[in-house]
Amino acid sequence: MKILPFIIATTLSLPALADRLPIPADATPAFRTECGSCHFTFPPALLAADDWRRVMADLERHYGDNASLDDRTRRQIEDFLVRHAGSGRRVSGAGATDGVLPRLTFTRWFLKEHDEVPAAVWKDKAVGSAANCAACHTKAEQGSFREREIRMPGTGGGWRHERD
């Protein structure tokens, strides 16, 4: 019977684990400086290894921008992303096809988690795009995506999901 409390405790903690996506401690400094100079540094677990390889393969056309890096830096960042890439349902459906880069905002997990976000929020100037996690997730930089920490622009402050 000692295993039952463990199973219950583990099961109850699963939602909390889903809300934590910190950047792994072994992140190469180039990841934060190069990637973070233009956008939020996405946790590597949000895309599959093959998707990260596609993202890093042609940085001259990185979602409409030239994000070229020297080959050594590019390899360091790609190796880090691939090493910590996600798997399973969280990363499925990123939409990588010929000529189209994968997007974490296209994954089934992202779409399910954000299905109740009002359309006006995505259009708000403070948000800019669905990829701007930090616009609503106040502790995204620390790897926390808990719903109680969400502050959506244009909604009068907080926002509560019906599961809260």
Side-chain angles (χ1 to χ4, degrees), residues 32-67:
R32 289 196 190 271
T33 58
E34 296 295 340
C35 302
S37 69
C38 294
H39 58 73
F40 172 74
T41 50
F42 300 106
L46 291 176
L47 285 178
D50 284 344
D51 289 332
W52 282 122
R53 287 184 189 101
R54 286 182 190 102
V55 168
M56 297 300 295
D58 187 7
L59 292 175
E60 289 181 6
R61 290 182 286 270
H62 184 71
Y63 302 100
D65 289 320
N66 184 344

Side-chain angles (χ1 to χ4, degrees), residues 19 34 57 97 107-108 134:
D19 293 343
E34 296 295 340
T97 59
T107 63
R108 288 174 191 78

Side-chain angles (χ1 to χ4, degrees), residues 57-156:
D58 187 7
L59 292 175
E60 289 181 6
R61 290 182 286 270
H62 184 71
Y63 302 100
D65 289 320
N66 184 344
S68 297
L69 298 169
D70 63 83
D71 196 49
R72 180 174 177 259
T73 303
R74 188 202 57 76
R75 271 195 321 269
Q76 285 177 341
I77 294 171
E78 181 176 337
D79 290 347
F80 164 72
L81 293 168
V82 168
R83 188 169 53 252
H84 295 288
S87 62
R89 291 186 314 201
R90 175 172 279 166
V91 299
S92 66
T97 59
D98 291 338
V100 177
L101 290 173
R103 293 180 181 270
L104 67 96
T105 57
F106 291 173
T107 63
R108 288 174 191 78
W109 169 81
F110 182 93
L111 295 171
K112 179 180 173 277
E113 288 296 313
H114 296 84
D115 65 348
E116 295 180 8
V117 175
V121 170
W122 300 120
K123 295 175 186 170
D124 192 286
K125 288 180 184 179
V127 175
S129 83
N132 185 6
C133 305
C136 299
H137 294 276
T138 61
K139 296 192 177 180
E141 292 289 343
Q142 292 82 34
S144 180
F145 296 87
R146 293 183 181 114
E147 290 188 14
R148 68 176 170 256
E149 298 165 351
I150 295 172
R151 299 292 176 265
M152 288 191 199
T155 62

